[in-house]
């Protein structure tokens, strides 16, 4: 397709298109499949999209930011009803574009629909308009919650629907206007939704543009007219994009970034449970989740047994195309990923680690089988670099202070999983862990859901908080009317 959405119009792009390939091969002999094309827009269209959102916002005086709550809810509901008719098409695109398994693709779609409905519900309940009387001063305050302005929104490839909407929906419902640019992969699935966006929202409230981040985001930011940068991705891109804003103090950030979530297995852990959860945490969607378990610390008393069983279970995972039954590992959407993972494996093995599972590192054109590495030395790249792919480093520890010190020294701080059964040991440990990360998972894999809970991170892992509830606050500001005047207060 060659259309994009700006100012309430589906525009035909006459310039060059970018081809979108799937690394899933449709022939026996490996050849990436051409799935479609998207416009490769230029700075002119980017500025056109910015102008459309500025016009719709109109310094807070536009139709959308001043619209009554019911109006914005009705627009959201209209959109989601149309979106639901596209389930099959979008699920198919998730499988082909990013290699997500059929059950996970269906889950991503359904979770997103639920996310929208839950956001609407939360928005209805929120303290948008509350009154407070402060006796000593005699001031009546009418506190409100309102929009921030124009949001530039950039989504990731691993959850191209869910994460996109986790930013866009709360931003829009709070009365902001938005320009959205999807990632390089997982980009075609927005096309079936363009008409629904156009039909549900007033012109310019949501603008969807396609192309390279540098070409589109840079000129938009340089104008200094963006109020919020909302991005799920890596800190390098986030830094590069925000650096273009001429008055950075004016820019609010809502960022979901990298993580290096550890799994810590204590000597008294239920080993079966710990292994199963660590497998799910480390390998689901090939480890391409910011919430994945990206390093495992196993106590030295149990590490041999843990490693043997963990490695065997990883080897038993089925690799195949996303629609095949029971498939857990699927082709990687980024063509360069197998080579990158191989680099990490080579670096770690050169520094003393071994690949402890039989199939670890086996490669085909579009895949590299998850490698389990042990013992990984602290000067290995994979020890602190976010691998975002199929490789799991394991280190053993004698004293719990070792993983705690590593977490304290890490650049990241999203979440941790801790496996153990002794309440006496766990309780004080949890009190420390919550000060190092933002979510502690007890005897379970790290993850983002349920989506009603706050999703954020410390250090380079996040700025601001997402989730159904918190995102509404991240994309808004509290204002108030202060009055002593009884005529106003009684009105
Ligand atoms: O990549 C980050 C996603 O938000 C992960 O979500 O934990 O539900 O897979 P998830």
């Amino acid at each position: 397709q060659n259309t994009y959405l700006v100012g309430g119009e589906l525009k035909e792009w006459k310039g060059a298109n970018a081809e979108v390939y799937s690394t899933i091969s449709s022939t026996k002999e490996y050849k990436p499949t051409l799935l479609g094309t998207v416009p490769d827009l230029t700075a002119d269209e980017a500025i056109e999209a910015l102008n459309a959102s500025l016009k719709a916002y109109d310094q807070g005086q536009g139709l959308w930011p001043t619209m009554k709550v019911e109006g914005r809810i009705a627009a959201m509901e209209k959109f989601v009803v149309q979106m639901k008719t596209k389930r099959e098409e979008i699920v198919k695109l998730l499988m082909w574009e990013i290699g997500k398994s059929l059950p996970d693709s269906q889950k991503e779609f359904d979770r997103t629909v639920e996310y929208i409905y839950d956001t609407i519900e939360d928005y209805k309940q929120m303290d948008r308009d509350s009154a407070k009387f402060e006796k000593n001063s005699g001031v009546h305050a009418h506190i409100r919650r309102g929009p921030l302005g124009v949001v530039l929104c950039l989504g990731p490839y691993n959850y191209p629907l869910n994460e996109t909407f986790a930013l866009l929906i709360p931003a829009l419902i709070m009365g902001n206007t938005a320009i959205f640019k999807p990632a390089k992969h997982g980009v075609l699935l927005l096309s079936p939704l363009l008409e629904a966006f156009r039909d549900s929202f007033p012109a310019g409230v949501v603008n969807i543009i396609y192309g390279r981040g540098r070409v589109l985001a840079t000129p938009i930011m340089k104008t200094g007219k963006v109020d919020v940068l909302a991005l799920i991705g890596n800190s390098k891109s986030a830094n590069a994009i925000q650096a273009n804003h001429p008055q950075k103090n004016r820019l609010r950030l809502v960022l979901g970034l990298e993580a290096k979530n550890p799994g810590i297995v204590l000597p008294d852990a239920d080993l079966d449970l710990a292994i199963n959860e660590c497998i799910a945490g480390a390998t689901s969607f090939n480890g391409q989740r910011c919430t994945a378990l990206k390093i495992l610390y196993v106590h030295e008393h149990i590490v041999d047994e843990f490693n043997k069983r963990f490695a065997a279970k990883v080897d038993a995972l089925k690799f195949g195309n996303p629609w095949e039954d029971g498939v857990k590992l699927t082709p990687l959407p980024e063509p360069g990923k197998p080579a990158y993972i191989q680099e990490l494996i080579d670096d770690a093995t050169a520094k003393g680690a071994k690949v402890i599972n039989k199939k670890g590192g086996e490669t085909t054109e579009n895949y590299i089988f998850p490698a389990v590495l042990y013992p990984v030395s602290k000067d290995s790249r994979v020890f602190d670099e976010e691998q975002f792919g199929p490789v799991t480093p394991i280190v053993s520890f004698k004293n719990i202070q070792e993983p705690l010190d590593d977490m304290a020294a890490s650049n990241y701080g999203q979440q941790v999983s801790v496996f153990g059964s002794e309440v006496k040991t766990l309780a004080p440990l949890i009190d420390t862990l919550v000060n190092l990360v933002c979510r502690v998972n007890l005897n379970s894999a790290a993850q983002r859901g349920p989506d009603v809970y706050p999703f954020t991170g410390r250090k380079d892992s996040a700025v601001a908080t997402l989730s159904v509830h918190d995102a509404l606050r991240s994309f808004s500001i509290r204002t108030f009317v202060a009055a002593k005047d009884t005529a106003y207060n009684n009105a």
Side-chain angles (χ1 to χ4, degrees):
Q1 64 98 30
N2 60 351
T3 47
Y4 60 104
L5 178 67
V6 165
E9 273 180 59
L10 288 181
K11 304 216 171 198
E12 293 286 319
W13 172 237
K14 303 265 181 329
N17 283 328
E19 293 182 330
V20 180
Y21 284 90
S22 168
T23 53
I24 297 168
S25 189
S26 53
T27 55
K28 271 222 143 64
E29 198 169 313
Y30 180 76
K31 198 166 167 275
T33 309
L34 179 62
L35 294 179
T37 58
V38 284
D40 190 10
L41 300 176
T42 71
D44 288 348
E45 293 72 47
I47 295 299
E48 192 191 1
L50 172 70
N51 288 337
S53 24
L54 285 166
K55 187 166 170 214
Y57 191 69
D58 193 16
Q59 312 270 8
Q61 300 169 71
L63 173 66
W64 185 249
T66 57
M67 190 178 275
K68 290 226 175 304
V69 168
E70 296 73 25
R72 291 212 288 261
I73 289 174
M76 283 294 158
E77 286 175 342
K78 184 171 177 187
F79 173 77
V80 76
V81 166
Q82 274 188 250
M83 175 180 169
K84 283 196 282 187
T85 66
K86 307 288 181 184
R87 185 177 190 264
E88 209 178 316
E89 198 177 342
I90 290 176
V91 164
K92 211 180 264 178
L93 284 166
L94 276 165
M95 290 194 286
W96 274 96
E97 280 198 87
I98 59 163
K100 191 165 276 198
S101 71
L102 175 62
D104 283 352
S105 297
Q106 288 168 330
K107 196 166 133 203
E108 179 162 350
F109 186 91
D110 298 340
R111 179 183 181 180
T112 308
V113 167
E114 198 181 332
Y115 196 100
I116 300 175
Y117 281 123
D118 286 351
T119 301
I120 293 172
E121 254 340 283
D122 211 279
Y123 177 62
K124 285 182 188 165
Q125 311 292 333
M126 94 185 292
D127 55 342
R128 284 183 323 264
D129 198 350
S130 56
K132 191 169 163 37
F133 175 63
E134 214 270 296
K135 213 167 51 210
N136 293 338
S137 61
V139 172
H140 291 261
H142 291 251
I143 301 166
R144 305 172 181 207
R145 217 172 239 288
L148 292 160
V150 169
V151 182
L152 174 62
C153 223
L154 297 119
Y157 83 79
N158 65 336
Y159 281 82
L161 190 72
N162 187 254
E163 292 286 27
T164 298
F165 284 74
L167 298 174
L168 206 48
I169 296 301
L172 292 176
I173 206 164
M174 287 314 305
N176 302 285
T177 62
I179 308 151
F180 180 74
K181 191 204 90 64
K184 186 172 171 200
H185 306 284
V187 49
L188 290 175
L189 55 80
L190 280 172
S191 315
L193 297 175
L194 292 184
E195 282 180 15
F197 276 120
R198 181 199 58 191
D199 298 347
S200 311
F201 296 95
V205 167
V206 51
N207 304 280
I208 301 199
I209 54 174
Y210 300 91
R212 286 156 291 168
R214 222 175 339 104
V215 175
L216 305 181
T218 309
I220 291 178
M221 290 303 280
K222 279 192 168 159
T223 62
K225 292 182 176 162
V226 168
D227 300 290
V228 186
L229 172 64
L231 174 150
I232 308 248
N234 60 63
S235 21
K236 200 172 152 204
S237 317
N239 288 339
I241 294 169
Q242 57 179 291
N244 291 307
H245 198 293
Q247 286 152 297
K248 277 190 274 313
N249 291 347
R250 287 195 185 183
L251 184 65
R252 193 173 280 217
L253 301 172
V254 180
L255 309 174
L257 304 169
E258 300 101 313
K260 188 79 183 175
N261 298 329
I264 302 177
V265 188
L266 299 169
D268 59 348
D270 171 338
L271 220 50
D272 282 332
L273 177 107
I275 289 168
N276 287 338
E277 290 294 312
C278 287
I279 295 270
T283 67
S284 65
F285 193 39
N286 311 298
Q288 301 165 119
R289 298 160 57 230
C290 62
T291 51
L293 288 178
K294 300 196 178 107
I295 184 158
L296 302 180
Y297 288 88
V298 186
H299 192 270
E300 61 175 12
H301 288 164
I302 51 165
V303 71
D304 292 340
E305 184 62 15
F306 180 94
N307 283 353
K308 194 169 82 194
R309 286 158 64 183
F310 184 81
K313 282 216 165 190
V314 169
D315 278 346
L317 296 172
K318 184 174 166 190
F319 170 75
N321 283 324
W323 47 86
E324 291 167 24
D325 271 353
V327 155
K328 298 285 184 204
L329 308 170
T330 49
L332 302 168
E334 295 176 291
K337 201 44 126 359
Y340 166 70
I341 297 293
Q342 188 60 55
E343 261 179 42
L344 295 181
I345 297 172
D346 292 345
D347 172 72
T349 50
K351 290 168 182 158
K354 289 207 161 48
V355 178
I356 61 166
N357 57 325
K358 290 197 185 78
K359 295 196 198 167
E362 277 178 10
T363 41
T364 58
E365 290 85 346
N366 56 2
Y367 199 66
I368 179 159
F369 200 88
V372 185
L373 297 167
Y374 179 80
V376 171
S377 72
K378 298 194 176 182
D379 60 345
S380 307
R381 282 175 61 189
V382 74
F383 181 79
D384 47 23
E385 199 166 305
E386 187 197 44
Q387 64 268 45
F388 217 77
V391 56
T392 302
I394 302 182
V395 274
S396 67
F397 68 93
K398 199 194 272 290
N399 187 306
I400 186 64
Q401 199 53 47
E402 297 164 40
L404 295 182
D405 287 345
D406 289 344
M407 286 172 72
S410 167
N411 288 328
Y412 307 116
Q414 191 199 73
Q415 44 186 307
V416 64
S417 289
V418 57
F419 300 91
S421 53
E422 185 71 56
V423 177
K424 253 194 347 262
T425 334
L426 287 174
L429 178 59
I430 290 167
D431 289 344
T432 304
L433 290 170
V434 286
N435 289 344
L436 293 168
V437 292
C438 288
R439 173 170 169 160
V440 178
N441 301 281
L442 205 47
N443 292 314
S444 55
Q447 59 176 318
R448 188 178 117 211
D451 292 331
V452 287
Y453 293 127
F455 180 51
T456 185
R458 296 173 188 273
K459 299 187 254 185
D460 289 344
S461 285
V463 179
T465 305
L466 290 169
S467 80
V468 166
H469 184 75
D470 293 83
L472 293 176
R473 282 136 188 100
S474 298
F475 283 105
S476 60
I477 190 165
R478 291 226 294 171
T479 58
F480 72 102
V481 182
K484 284 194 174 181
D485 168 30
T486 45
Y488 173 79
N489 290 322
N490 294 335

